[in-house]
């Protein structure tokens, strides 16, 4: 039995521990090795998140209507992930549009305070998610797939783009991720995407790939590489792209 087949279930558990607040008792504290082991399983952790979101939507929509259900779904989205990617989104946009030096932009991302542009990006993402979910009853493929492709976008950028600074989360990921980690994540994501949404899912996959590439190029130019915060921003923006793509198809179907 290969090393990857032995470690596969462990990697999925580590991905869930790192990316969600789902309780998994009886496990040792996470360390650098366990976080790196989780990388190829980020998209499958997204599938678990999507399953929770779909369940909330299916339960809430008949009881309280489309808008209330969408708000509850987006609230659960933030809760189950601990707001990790939302925090990265706000920090990234505070820095990316500050038009200051590269060093100052990296300092801004490390600052826990939120600025006007970070707050604007956060509000826009949350409103878009609510609007897209509310406007598409029966949008369970979009809810399942958005967290998967959002986390695949992180795997893609972790592997293909450099880290911005020494000692950060981005550097740890980028220095230790392996080629087989990226391809495992991509194969799993591609297969699950096809099963959930067929050609429409592959269209969303392609759009996420293109957008992740363009955003990563922008931030590498501005910051000198990617950081943990930019991975969070990539995930959030990619999720909205998937929701928009699949709800358009559902609405026209």
């Amino acid at each position: 039995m290969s090393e990857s087949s032995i470690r596969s279930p462990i990697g999925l558990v580590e991905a869930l521990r790192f990316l969600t607040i789902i309780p998994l008792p009886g496990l040792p504290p996470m360390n650098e090795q366990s976080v790196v082991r989780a990388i190829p399983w980020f998209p499958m952790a997204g599938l678990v998140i999507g399953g929770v979101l779909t369940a909330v939507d299916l339960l809430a929509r008949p009881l309280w209507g489309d808008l209330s259900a969408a708000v509850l779904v987006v609230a659960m989205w933030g809760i189950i992930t601990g707001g990790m990617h939302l925090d990265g989104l706000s920090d990234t946009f505070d820095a990316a549009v500050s038009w200051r030096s590269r060093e100052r932009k990296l300092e801004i991302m490390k600052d826990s305070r939120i600025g006007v542009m970070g707050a604007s990006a956060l509000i826009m993402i949350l409103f878009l998610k609510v609007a897209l979910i509310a406007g598409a009853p029966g949008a369970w493929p979009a809810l399942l797939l958005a967290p998967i492709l959002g986390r695949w976008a992180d795997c893609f950028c972790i592997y293909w783009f450099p880290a911005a600074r020494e000692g950060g989360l981005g550097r740890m990921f980028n220095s230790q991720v392996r080629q087989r980690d990226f391809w495992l994540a991509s194969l799993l994501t591609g297969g699950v995407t096809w099963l959930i949404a067929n050609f429409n899912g592959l269209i969303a996959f392609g759009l996420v790939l293109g957008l992740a590439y363009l955003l990563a190029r922008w931030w590498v130019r501005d910051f000198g590489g990617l950081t943990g915060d930019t991975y969070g921003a990539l995930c959030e923006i990619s999720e909205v792209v998937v929701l928009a793509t699949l709800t358009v198809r559902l609405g026209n179907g």
Side-chain angles (χ1 to χ4, degrees):
M1 184 178 293
S2 69
E3 177 188 3
S4 60
S5 64
I6 293 172
R7 287 168 49 176
S8 294
I10 299 174
L12 178 56
V13 170
E14 299 293 6
L16 287 170
R17 292 176 70 193
F18 182 68
L19 295 173
T20 75
I21 62 166
I22 296 173
L24 296 166
L27 298 172
M30 294 195 74
N31 54 37
E32 182 174 317
Q33 289 71 35
S34 61
V35 172
V36 171
R37 195 161 53 224
I39 293 173
W41 297 96
F42 281 3
M44 294 304 97
L47 177 60
V48 175
I49 295 168
V52 173
L53 301 180
T54 301
V56 172
D57 184 66
L58 292 174
L59 290 170
R61 209 176 282 260
L63 294 174
W64 297 293
D66 295 341
L67 180 58
S68 295
V71 171
L72 288 171
V73 169
V74 173
M76 177 57 72
W77 212 326
I79 291 168
I80 197 172
T81 59
M84 176 192 300
H85 298 104
L86 293 169
D87 180 67
L89 175 80
S90 62
D91 288 343
T92 297
F93 277 87
D94 273 336
V97 297
S98 66
W99 310 114
R100 300 184 183 181
S101 69
R102 177 178 293 178
E103 293 72 20
R104 179 59 183 141
K105 287 180 178 181
L106 291 174
E107 290 175 6
I108 290 171
M109 275 200 285
K110 293 174 69 176
D111 192 333
S112 60
R113 294 171 295 182
I114 185 170
V116 172
M117 295 310 300
S120 299
L122 193 61
I123 292 168
M124 188 177 301
I125 284 288
L126 293 174
F127 277 10
L128 280 171
K129 284 185 174 181
V130 169
L132 291 168
I133 295 167
W140 65 266
L143 289 176
L144 276 179
L145 197 55
I148 297 171
L149 291 180
R151 282 144 192 83
W152 177 84
D154 285 347
C155 295
F156 167 70
C157 292
I158 286 168
Y159 181 70
W160 289 104
F161 293 91
R165 55 183 170 226
E166 296 294 335
L169 186 64
R171 176 67 64 183
M172 181 184 72
F173 281 164
N174 180 258
S175 64
Q176 298 198 43
V177 69
R178 300 161 297 181
Q179 185 179 57
R180 69 177 182 180
D181 293 333
F182 168 71
W183 288 114
L184 174 60
S186 298
L187 288 172
L188 289 170
T189 301
V192 173
T193 296
W194 175 261
L195 290 173
I196 292 172
N198 303 123
F199 287 109
N200 292 341
L202 296 182
I203 291 170
F205 200 165
L207 291 174
V208 166
L209 170 62
L211 181 67
Y213 175 80
L214 292 174
L215 288 174
R217 286 288 301 270
W218 170 25
W219 293 332
V220 168
R221 183 196 66 197
D222 278 12
F223 305 142
L226 302 183
T227 70
D229 284 326
T230 61
Y231 297 144
L234 282 163
C235 182
E236 288 292 334
I237 296 169
S238 296
E239 287 175 340
V240 169
V241 168
V242 177
L243 288 175
T245 304
L246 293 189
T247 54
V248 163
R249 296 292 179 175
L250 288 168
N252 290 341

